[in-house]
Amino acid sequence: MLLIDKYAYTNKLRKIDPMVKFSFAMGMLIFALLPIPLWLYGVVSLIMGYLTVVSAGIPMKNYWKMLMVPFTFLVLSVISIIVSFGQSGDVFVWAIKVRGIYMGITPQGIEMSLRLLFRSLACITCMYFYSLTTPLDQQIQVYKKIRIPKEVVELMVLIYRFIFIFLEEAKEIRNAQEMRFGYNTFKQSCHSFSLMIKVLFIRVMQRNKDMQISLESKFFNGEFHI
């Protein structure tokens, strides 16, 4: 998350009108959601990847790492779709029989899973292009222009802020645990991780309380001027 924010403020396309980037990214996203041939999903992914890596100057290595995060969830989704069950083995391309039930892969499952995979990757590259090239302050300008309700924008900014608070606190706790050899064994790792979750919740709630006190001391009336 910190890396995404860093690239959003330092990329080569930062000075381009954010409304242009938003319109282009959303246009490609809507196109990727249409029932188009599979190869067109690949074209969308390549175009958005090229603009992000080459035009915006995002390092290919880090871009690939960021793609691997949603790709892992996509693979799990594809596996759940591609595997089917049935009473007859004639409909399967490949199957095994377990207690009278066939479990295998059908042509329809292959087509559906490939469409899901390529369509999702195309949509992800569109969103990555917009996120990695447009800082939050520019995104807020866009949302105001297209008349997104201010409550939604305020909520987005607060969530965005608390993501960084969450990561900062988690990093501090983990560093302290590693200095005490809390992750040397699997058993120690599980114990340290459970403690980190507990302490992290308490710290984040405390930071939230501190923010509320700070706002009240500044006569906060329930409205953020963004």
Side-chain angles (χ1 to χ4, degrees), residues 38-82:
L38 289 179
W39 65 272
L40 282 178
Y41 293 127
V43 171
V44 172
S45 300
L46 289 174
I47 291 174
M48 303 309 289
Y50 177 85
L51 291 174
T52 306
V53 174
V54 179
S55 300
I58 307 300
M60 181 64 188
K61 181 180 178 180
N62 291 333
Y63 181 69
W64 182 252
K65 286 182 179 179
M66 285 184 280
L67 279 179
M68 286 298 101
V69 176
F71 185 77
T72 303
F73 292 96
L74 278 177
V75 170
L76 296 176
S77 301
V78 166
I79 292 175
S80 65
I81 291 176
I82 199 172

Side-chain angles (χ1 to χ4, degrees), residues 22 140 142-153:
F22 174 80
I140 293 173
V142 172
Y143 302 146
K144 285 184 176 180
K145 287 183 180 179
I146 61 177
R147 304 296 178 87
I148 297 293
K150 64 179 182 179
E151 292 81 7
V152 176
V153 178

